[in-house]
Structure formats: C-alpha cells, structure tokens
Amino acid sequence: MYEDLIEKALFARKNSHSPYSKFKVGVALLTKDNKVYTGANVECSSYSLTICAERVAAVKAITDKHKVFKAVAIASSGKELIFPCGACRQFLSEFSDNMDVILIKSKNDYQIYKLQNLF
C-alpha cells in the first residue's frame, strides 16, 4: 500500500544535511490529493535551529496549498525505528491528526501507527 512512499523516504534520506550528528532522516509525506512531498533533516551548528525532515516536507506541502495529509513515511540512518519528535508530532497534528505514520527500518521492514496514538 505504501511501497512508493517508503522508497521516496529512503531516497530523501540521502539529501540530509547532518554534519554534526551524522544521523540522516528522510521523509515522504502523502497529501489527501495523493501528491508526495519529501524532506530531509537540516542541521545547524546552533542545534536548536536544526529542522526535522517531517517539518521540511510539511512546510513544502503547506506552502504549495496542501494542508491535509494522509500519511508520512520516516526513514533514518539508525538501526532502530525512529518516531517523530514532539515538535513534529504537534506540527503534523495541526493538519491531520489521523494520518498514518510509517516508521521504516528498510524497504520491507516497517511499522504503521496513527499519529493521534503517538501522543
């Protein structure tokens, strides 16, 4: 069902700018109109100014007038599944609290949660 979204998140991870943590995150966000927006984390030496991949993709979609999301796929360079941080959960819930959150270990190894259940 989400194979294409998973592949796009894995590919988006390559665009991460993470010179400090070396922890790459890629995201693919699916809108209600079936358009996909990707994002990657962007680090800054002032770590609090770092932008998560989820918010990068969401801002791209929102500024393109897509404000309802069906799903977000999240892939990291770590060995474990990573959940969206609290800020990203809150940000995404402003637009779609019932969306699917797909946490990816690999193309064939992932888990799906509802965003509203992650709070």
Side-chain angles (χ1 to χ4, degrees):
M1 173 176 183
Y2 287 126
E3 292 82 11
D4 184 55
L5 203 62
I6 289 167
E7 285 185 32
K8 287 180 179 180
L10 288 165
F11 187 79
R13 181 178 62 189
K14 296 175 184 179
N15 295 325
S16 167
H17 176 75
S18 47
Y20 305 102
S21 72
K22 309 289 189 237
F23 190 75
K24 298 177 179 291
V25 180
V27 162
L29 181 68
L30 180 65
T31 71
K32 76 169 185 167
D33 302 321
N34 295 316
K35 182 149 175 139
V36 176
Y37 288 86
T38 60
N41 58 321
V42 180
E43 291 182 350
C44 177
S45 62
S46 177
Y47 203 70
S48 64
L49 299 178
T50 293
I51 302 173
C52 298
E54 297 91 333
R55 283 181 280 153
V56 169
V59 167
K60 287 166 66 176
I62 293 161
T63 57
D64 206 15
K65 303 207 185 299
H66 294 277
K67 296 181 182 169
V68 179
F69 310 131
K70 295 196 305 193
V72 62
I74 306 167
S76 80
S77 58
K79 295 185 190 298
E80 300 298 321
L81 297 174
I82 61 156
F83 288 81
C85 72
C88 287
R89 292 178 202 196
Q90 181 63 46
F91 193 90
L92 291 171
S93 74
E94 291 288 320
F95 302 95
S96 302
D97 67 344
N98 196 37
M99 67 191 298
D100 286 335
V101 178
I102 304 135
L103 306 179
I104 305 165
K105 276 190 183 179
S106 70
K107 182 177 176 182
N108 298 311
D109 187 5
Y110 57 89
Q111 294 179 13
I112 302 174
Y113 298 85
K114 287 291 187 185
L115 180 61
Q116 63 191 4
N117 294 335
L118 297 182
F119 280 94

